[in-house]
Amino acid sequence: MTIAPATVDVALRDGATVRVRPMVAGDEQALRDLLDGLSIESRWLRFFSAGADLHRVAAYMATLEPGRGRGLVAVAGDPERIVAHAAYIRETPDRAEVAFEVADDWQGRGVATVLLAHLSELATADGIDTFTAVVLPDNHRMIQVFRDSGFAVDVRPHANELEVELPAQLGDEARARFEDRDRVAAAAAVSHVLRPASVALIGVSKREGSVGAAVLHNLIAAGYGGRLCVVHPREDVVGGVRAHRTIGEVPEPPELAVIAVPAEAVVDVARQCGAVGVRALVVLSAGFAEVGARGRDRQAELLSVCRASGMRLVGPNCLGVLNTEVALNATFAPAAPPPGNVAFASQSGAFGIAAIAEAARRRLGLSSFVSTGNKADLSGNDLLRFWEADEATEVIGLYLESFGNPRRFGQVARRVAAAKPVIAVKSGRSAAGSRAATSHTGALLAASDATVDALFRHAGVIRTATVGELFDVAALLAGQPLPAGGRVGVVTNAGGPGIACADACEAAGLRVEPLPTKTRRRLGRHLPREATTTNPVDMIASASADDYRRSLEALAADPSVDSVVAIFIPPLVTQARDVADAIRTASAATRAAGKPLLAVWMAQDDAALAALAGGVGGVPAYGTPEEAIRALAHAANYADWRRTGTEPHDPPAGIAPDRAAATIAQVLAEGGGWLVPDRVAELLDAYGIPQVAATVAATPAAVARCAAELGGEVAIKAIAPGLLHKSDAGGVRLGIDGAAAAGRAAREIAAAVRRTGHQPLGFLVQAMAPEGVEMLVGVTSDPDWGPVVACAAGGTAVELLGDVQSRLAPVSPRDASEMLRALRTFPLLDGYRGAPRAAVAALEDIIVRVSALAATHPEIAELDCNPILVGTGGATVVDARVRIAAPRPPRPYPSLDR
């Protein structure tokens, strides 16, 4: 299959960008300029001669046709300049020679490696298996390009030359290398924003309360130690800082420019910044995509200017950025957080201000903060990759309103979350499911936020409902070890809060279990006889600070406790400050035991709570037991994901992907769409998904014959294009006994279906399935999200109940088990009110197999197995529907769009 090469922007290893696009005939002169500009050494290494006819080469390459080969160029600058060229020339049907030219001033930045990856995708689609190249023995740079790419390179020496051979397909190792390059490029780009050696503020005003004045005040107040200058058209000094008339007059080009001019002036200012070599922009100005079509055009022009010059962009319409590690506060937020190990990114400026204020109130330190605004360029994915390698950051918080590329976010976040907690607030509803509401599964996902939940669960991202809850979790993870399990020990000086804490634990899936005799004896040595030493440990109101210390240390030493919660409510005698000191001392023991310690300070105002939180030395403080346990439950679930959620799992046994692919290919050749029952059965059977025995009959007479052959009671269902809910249209009859009754039922079904405006094409005759609980397992697929697997209570009331769990495919056996047990209706499978327990393992196996089918074959746009009857002896699909559609071509790799 031949594909048309796309035009994409790609990040280089130094954080700059370059545009990769197909070579066209009109590029001949620009390619001549590139070749003419090569040094003598570069010409010799590329053409084996310093006197090659470069203009003839340019003419040939500019007129390459897909049958002979493909050419790509990397362009940059304004006006556009070709900085690199790559092409392959077909030698045989499955082999092609590959060659590169890179401008001398662009060598060593990874451009050739990027072009090789894009050539690989084109060549694979063109049926080329092998790339070859002939290079001089001294051309170490080109040999290194091939080796750095991750391709398996075979180098054979010949007289005065080396023959290089490598596979044309981008394999797993090559993709892993490019993933690593992506990380390096993103970290370098963000570094220009968060670790700039110099900053220029453009658009500052002397007017009190202006955005520019607030930013300048924050930069000075933070004590930024790099070179700081102001650009002002009339002033020589602003706020005590040297001012220049234009960015071009600044003696040394600043690494970062913060722009706060009116929206209509931003593009011209950005163009001036690009011309002098500024590496990154933070655009605070509003008036872009958020205001409509005119703003979108302005934003597109701004991004185009940045791409042409290789600058990276934060915003526009953002609050700014800060990094406490380098004393950079280029925001107009009224509060400033203390230094710490929590990084935070917010798509909303308002929530960014609230987050900074919340961190300051809690005395929770931030390592850095970025307001992404309209996310025209740098996004949460780039920030995650920077913070992944940032030693100052141990916990990452995100406020998200949208996903530019959710599948890419999931890939990046999953890798980052395996090492550092990622906590997110996601506002709004998922749009993925709403585009696919032609099936029960699509309707279920459209009516909930399940798709986002599935993405976060897959990636190990902790989802919270509010920014306040996010900081509750961040405060715990920033200073405490992860819990080894869900067993909680509670120490309190009042019985009521202890009971409330135990109730909150039970609701959150944590356990407050009785303490062993050894621990109770140890507690009894210092607590009064009236105290309760089970769990919660109620030390009663007279408990002293030393009682807190000794009790917490006893629970720290107890192997049956995974986490410890200390609850304090002020009595008449014991002082909160003394208890804070005691908890600080005890935290050494809990930390040494690898157990998180949380403090609950009740009946305290915000000021006192903040002071105590700052004084407990890394122990997070909460106002209620419920807040503490909610944060602890998030930490416990995340710890469990770290232990098990990243484990690879094998595909299910007994599947035949090639057989399924053959069925799908036939359907695509016929135009795709909803499959007829025979094809559905073929597809499910290829993945070992059990189905009720069924036969397709064209007429009522044929239905009668099929019923006689099957014997016993049968179910009869109409087959009609566009008929989604057959039972609602009278298209289903169950428990029909005998051939005559079956024929009569088929005629009645046909008449009922015609009355709804559908034309029946035939009938599905099935043996009646054994009794069981009705369940649904389905899939919807989206080009951006990928396949989402859902399970729910099935039958005709599936959408009314709205009880659904979802995961991204492929689903592991553990995921399938968790999905079922998280359903409100799971008790129906587990022996509800004395009913026999259903074969849950068989249903779990179906979920795993359906997910494997969807993950392997992206052509499956929708799949519904509803109902699945789950009885004591197994699980069987009674009815299934599948829609096939050609998937969107994959995005070019690598690119900034991934």
Side-chain angles (χ1 to χ4, degrees):
M1 177 185 67
T2 299
I3 62 172
T7 297
V8 294
D9 296 311
V10 179
L12 302 178
R13 62 169 62 109
D14 63 353
T17 62
V18 68
R19 177 159 291 175
V20 174
R21 63 168 176 79
M23 180 103 189
V24 295
D27 288 329
E28 181 179 341
Q29 183 57 53
L31 183 55
R32 285 186 183 185
D33 294 340
L34 167 66
L35 299 177
D36 287 340
L38 294 176
S39 65
I40 297 297
E41 180 189 13
S42 294
R43 292 187 196 181
W44 181 269
L45 293 175
R46 167 63 179 90
F47 300 105
F48 293 24
S49 167
D53 188 344
L54 301 180
H55 291 186
R56 183 178 178 184
V57 172
Y60 178 78
M61 292 297 182
T63 55
L64 267 181
E65 296 176 356
R68 290 190 293 132
R70 296 292 189 105
L72 296 173
V73 292
V75 299
D78 186 10
E80 186 179 88
R81 166 196 170 201
I82 294 179
V83 298
H85 166 258
Y88 64 79
I89 309 297
R90 193 186 294 269
E91 297 175 319
T92 67
D94 59 356
R95 291 171 66 90
E97 182 180 2
V98 65
F100 303 86
E101 303 92 30
V102 181
D104 285 67
D105 58 333
W106 280 76
Q107 291 177 9
R109 301 173 70 178
V111 185
T113 309
V114 165
L115 290 174
L116 177 60
H118 285 267
L119 282 181
S120 171
E121 290 196 332
L122 295 175
T124 300
D126 281 350
I128 293 171
D129 298 327
T130 305
F131 277 153
T132 66
V134 178
V135 302
L136 288 172
D138 292 339
N139 196 350
H140 306 296
R141 283 200 301 263
M142 188 49 59
I143 296 294
Q144 198 60 43
V145 165
F146 292 129
R147 294 200 185 282
D148 286 347
S149 67
F151 290 89
V153 179
D154 182 22
V155 180
R156 301 189 187 98
H158 297 282
N160 296 319
E161 65 184 29
L162 299 174
E163 181 184 359
V164 181
E165 189 173 290
L166 62 154
Q169 187 172 8
L170 201 64
D172 290 342
E173 183 179 351
R175 286 188 177 273
R177 292 281 186 93
F178 278 103
E179 286 291 330
D180 190 59
R181 290 182 75 263
D182 270 359
R183 283 202 296 270
V184 171
V190 177
S191 183
H192 295 315
V193 174
L194 289 179
R195 293 178 183 151
S198 52
V199 176
L201 178 56
I202 307 172
V204 66
S205 168
K206 288 187 171 182
R207 179 171 52 85
E208 196 72 28
S210 67
V211 167
V215 174
L216 181 59
H217 172 269
N218 284 346
L219 282 165
I220 295 171
Y224 175 63
R227 297 189 308 276
L228 176 62
C229 69
V230 169
V231 175
H232 195 285
R234 294 175 300 278
E235 303 291 340
D236 295 324
V237 177
V238 178
V241 177
R242 171 78 185 278
H244 303 271
R245 296 292 190 269
T246 66
I247 193 71
E249 295 180 12
V250 178
E252 295 182 50
E255 186 173 0
L256 173 68
V258 181
I259 299 176
V261 301
E264 57 270 17
V266 168
V267 173
D268 285 341
V269 170
R271 190 172 285 112
Q272 295 167 27
C273 289
V276 301
V278 171
R279 303 302 302 273
L281 303 180
V282 174
V283 178
L284 310 177
S285 315
F288 290 85
E290 77 280 4
V291 299
R294 186 175 179 183
R296 285 193 294 273
D297 291 343
R298 182 182 291 137
Q299 184 166 304
E301 187 179 5
L302 171 62
L303 182 59
S304 179
V305 167
C306 291
R307 288 284 185 263
S309 61
M311 290 186 299
R312 304 308 301 270
L313 169 66
V314 173
N317 184 35
C318 73
L319 174 65
V321 301
L322 68 82
N323 183 357
T324 58
E325 188 182 16
V326 297
L328 171 74
N329 185 354
T331 74
F332 54 92
N341 61 356
V342 178
F344 190 80
S346 176
Q347 195 171 342
S348 161
F351 272 97
I353 291 174
I356 291 173
E358 184 72 5
R361 182 183 73 84
R362 293 169 179 257
R363 300 187 183 179
L364 178 64
L366 297 187
S367 58
S368 51
F369 165 85
V370 177
S371 166
T372 56
N374 291 0
K375 293 197 304 184
D377 180 22
L378 289 174
S379 67
N381 290 351
D382 300 297
L383 297 172
L384 281 172
R385 287 181 286 197
F386 172 83
W387 285 324
E388 178 183 14
D390 181 28
E391 293 183 359
T393 297
E394 296 180 14
V395 179
I396 300 167
L398 304 172
Y399 175 82
L400 303 169
E401 294 177 346
S402 64
F403 295 104
N405 186 340
R407 186 181 296 188
R408 184 61 173 154
F409 172 85
Q411 293 167 347
V412 173
R414 182 177 175 85
R415 188 188 64 245
V416 176
K420 297 181 180 183
V422 180
I423 316 164
V425 175
K426 170 63 175 70
S427 66
R429 304 268 296 212
S430 164
S434 63
R435 292 192 294 272
T438 56
S439 62
H440 287 295
T441 305
L444 278 171
L445 296 180
S448 69
D449 209 17
T451 308
V452 175
D453 283 336
L455 175 67
F456 284 171
R457 287 192 194 99
H458 170 79
V461 174
I462 301 168
R463 186 177 191 183
T464 63
T466 65
V467 171
E469 184 184 350
L470 184 152
F471 278 107
D472 282 344
V473 181
L476 171 58
L477 296 175
Q480 295 294 310
L482 290 173
R487 300 168 301 179
V488 182
V490 182
V491 174
T492 178
N493 65 347
I499 295 171
C501 187
D503 290 343
C505 286
E506 182 178 358
L510 303 175
R511 306 190 303 279
V512 178
E513 299 175 346
L515 298 174
T517 302
K518 181 179 178 181
T519 301
R520 296 184 64 185
R521 285 174 179 165
R522 179 173 174 178
L523 291 167
R525 294 187 194 119
H526 67 272
L527 293 178
R529 187 174 302 171
E530 297 82 5
T532 302
T533 59
T534 51
N535 194 16
V537 177
D538 181 5
M539 303 181 296
I540 70 173
S542 60
S544 66
D546 193 57
D547 289 334
Y548 269 94
R549 178 188 62 79
R550 297 175 69 179
S551 297
L552 293 174
E553 289 174 347
L555 267 60
D558 189 338
S560 71
V561 172
D562 299 312
S563 306
V564 184
V565 178
I567 303 174
F568 174 76
I569 186 165
L572 296 176
V573 287
T574 308
Q575 297 300 308
R577 290 284 185 184
D578 295 335
V579 174
D581 290 339
I583 292 177
R584 182 190 302 109
T585 302
S587 68
T590 56
R591 191 181 302 277
K595 301 176 182 182
L597 173 59
L598 297 78
V600 177
W601 301 97
M602 302 186 68
Q604 303 280 345
D605 59 26
D606 281 352
L609 186 63
L612 289 168
V616 176
V619 178
Y622 304 90
T624 67
E626 291 78 10
E627 290 170 345
I629 296 308
R630 186 173 54 195
L632 181 58
H634 282 305
N637 290 335
Y638 170 68
D640 186 57
W641 179 87
R642 282 269 290 264
R643 286 189 293 269
T644 62
T646 57
E647 295 175 356
H649 58 275
D650 297 326
I655 63 174
D658 293 343
R659 188 148 55 91
T663 298
I664 291 170
Q666 292 171 358
V667 174
L668 287 174
E670 297 163 3
W674 290 102
L675 273 60
V676 296
D678 285 350
R679 290 274 175 78
V680 173
E682 288 174 12
L683 204 57
L684 299 188
D685 184 62
Y687 273 74
I689 299 168
Q691 307 162 70
V692 171
T695 305
V696 174
T699 65
V703 168
R705 288 194 297 273
C706 290
E709 291 171 2
L710 286 172
E713 293 186 345
V714 298
I716 305 171
K717 302 174 183 179
I719 301 173
L723 182 59
L724 300 182
H725 306 304
K726 292 185 284 290
S727 58
D728 293 349
V732 177
R733 292 291 182 90
L734 304 177
I736 305 299
D737 193 3
R744 185 167 56 253
R747 290 189 291 273
E748 292 170 354
I749 287 173
V753 169
R754 289 191 186 98
R755 285 195 293 272
T756 65
H758 294 87
Q759 182 59 42
L761 300 181
F763 306 89
L764 188 68
V765 185
Q766 296 176 313
M768 286 296 293
E771 289 188 0
V773 180
E774 290 189 332
M775 299 296 295
L776 173 147
V777 175
V779 173
T780 63
S781 190
D782 181 88
D784 292 321
W785 293 81
V788 182
V789 180
C791 72
T796 57
V798 54
E799 290 160 39
L800 177 64
L801 293 173
D803 183 21
V804 61
Q805 286 290 310
S806 60
R807 298 289 190 278
L808 298 190
V811 170
S812 70
R814 176 187 174 91
D815 289 333
S817 176
E818 290 178 351
M819 290 170 74
L820 291 176
R821 283 158 180 78
L823 292 171
R824 297 191 306 274
T825 48
F826 176 72
L828 296 175
L829 295 167
D830 197 37
Y832 181 67
R833 300 189 71 171
R837 284 188 170 87
V840 174
L843 180 57
E844 292 170 355
D845 185 63
I846 290 178
I847 295 171
V848 170
R849 291 178 182 276
V850 167
S851 84
L853 172 63
T856 307
H857 305 285
E859 300 84 2
I860 295 175
E862 296 180 78
L863 184 154
D864 260 349
C865 295
N866 180 41
I868 299 171
L869 287 181
V870 190
T872 57
T876 306
V877 176
V878 175
D879 199 3
R881 302 174 66 246
V882 179
R883 183 169 67 87
I884 301 296
R888 185 176 70 185
R891 294 165 169 169
Y893 188 81
S895 76
L896 290 176
D897 191 36
R898 296 190 68 86

